[in-house]
Amino acid sequence: MKVTLSALNTSESSFTPLVVIELAQDVKEETKEWLKNRIIAKKKDGGAQLLFRPLLNKYEQETLENQNLYLVGASKIRMLLGAEAVGLVKECNDNTMRAFTYRTRQNFKGFDDNNDDFLTMAECQFIIKHELENLRAKDEKMIPGYPQAKLYPGKSLLRRLLTSGIVIQVFPLHDDEALKKLEDTWYTRFALKYQPIDSIRGYFGETIALYFGFLEYFTFALIPMAVIGLPYYLFVWEDYDKYVIFASFNLIWSTVILEVWKRGCANMTYRWGTLLMKRKFEEPRPGFHGVLGINPITGKEEPLYPSYKRQLRIYLVSLPFVCLCLYFSLYVMMIYFDLEVWALGLHENSGSEWTSVLLYVPSIIYAIVIEIMNRLYRYAAEFLTSWENHRLESAYQNHLILKVLVFNFLNCFASLFYIAFVLKDMKLLRQSLATLLITSQILNQIVESLLPYWLQRKHGVRVKRKMQALKADIDATLYEHVILEKEMGTYLGTFDDYLELFLQFGYVSLFSCVYPLAAAFAVLNNFTEVNSDALKMCRVFKRPFSEPSASIGVWQLAFETMSVISVVTNCALIGMSPQVNAIFPESKADLILIVVAVEHALLALKFILAFAIPDKPRHIQVKLARLEFESLEALKQQQMKLVTENLKEEPKESGKEKAT
């Protein structure tokens, strides 16, 4: 029998605050009361059946600053029923992974009626977010007190409140005790050790944990390249004939590491349960707008927007804009080469030590300009992708990632391709690659972690001084905690972090045979990146909501595409090497044909390797197949039960007819 919320008592006199809702300062009282009632109302009445209270009581509001901050939590029973509603998968006592149900809760490992640790805090916050986002308008035509904030049946109330500026932000709270434990095992004690990925997942959720897992895996995967590259750099620095072997190793390495990662990722996500979570039908993203109508698939009332209008926006506006940006990037690149010629000419004329240092200045300036252009283009790409008006968040993310990757790839690598295959200057290629790689790594560390951390520390000192100055006979610990966190920056997701690794992978896989130290510098950067990113997550940004993930998503395809491009690049570099050219001193056509043939053969080998290495380990495949079989058997038994019940009812009905 299915357990319903209305049949259970989910109220508590006090609760642990998990999520904070900040309202605008001038929000009307009737709006606050309406929102409160919708959040605490029972599910059968269209509410979320959550616990809700203001951060400050009336006396505290008079003593402290009047803040429109509200705390949201839930009872233990409500959380368990929410876990069933969102489809969380947990480990059973028989070591299998199954979707959690409240009725069979005793069958799950670690469950106890007195145990509050069965659901992680990240999972609890995800459940609350899910329930808040699924608060739907019923018969309201507008937000009470705000006639301009229109509603229609089925519209997400939280999304309308956010877009109307009534709700400023919704964020999950940090748990100081759990955070301190995580920091102690993660980054505060510097040591060469594995990251506590399971603990990161328990605190931040699967999406963040998968990023740090991939960062750690990629760093260790770079070590063989670094170990081979270091002696190669020391002993054959000027001998370009030898880079054929290094390039060949590069081709196999870039394929194998991505395939092995998929297997490791499947292991992790199966253990966490997200590999088995069923995809739910995607709701329209918050920024999606259109004429109100009926969705032909769901039958629900929602905004409808013709796809042809979206396609016109993409092909007539977005595509030309991206092409214009790519042209501008190439124009800046040519200015950089003019500066290189100028610096080289100056050095040849004077020959002093100062001018030899000047040779690196154009590359450093160009690397800084590249970073600035990448960031400015990112804002433009976000605006354009939002303007295209994609219905689904996944479609929005895919179009945004495509725009950003195309520009970043050309912006970061066009100069290297030009030097390698047009100028054919391997010395300049080595110098440019080293400068771009090192400068971008330093800038990213400063902009992404050190600068935000310094600003956050300054803000924290100001808040603590303000709290000490208050002469209030109350416990303001929770108040200070919330005020500190609400002013923190918002973590915008793993996009920039994966993009940084993607570009790093490009530097290593495309041209590292010319500059073998690229992998070594990448390893050194990533060891510090782990700590700086951990610091950023724990102390700089608000705690992000947990998001269940089964993989790194579209980034897997992006890395695999880069590895295919690296095959072409490395084959071309091998074909250009003096060692290979010496074999074909007269016939360049034969050389080109052989290089193309080798490239096709290596691509074929690459795809064979990708096919031969299964994405999921054998034991995971067996477990997934067994679960699918059990689901089919259960469905079959249910259908047989219905048929049997119908057959039993038929004789009774025929008997009644005869009597009549």
Side-chain angles (χ1 to χ4, degrees), residues 433-446:
L433 176 59
T435 309
L436 286 174
L437 178 63
I438 296 168
T439 307
S440 65
Q441 288 177 346
I442 293 171
L443 287 175
N444 280 321
Q445 294 281 5
I446 293 171

Side-chain angles (χ1 to χ4, degrees), residues 60 203 288 302 315 354 362 396 448 490 493 501 510 523 576:
E60 291 170 331
Y203 193 84
F288 177 67
E302 67 174 49
Y315 291 111
W354 291 106
Y396 171 85
E448 290 184 9
T490 301
L501 291 180
L510 294 177
V523 169
M576 289 169 55

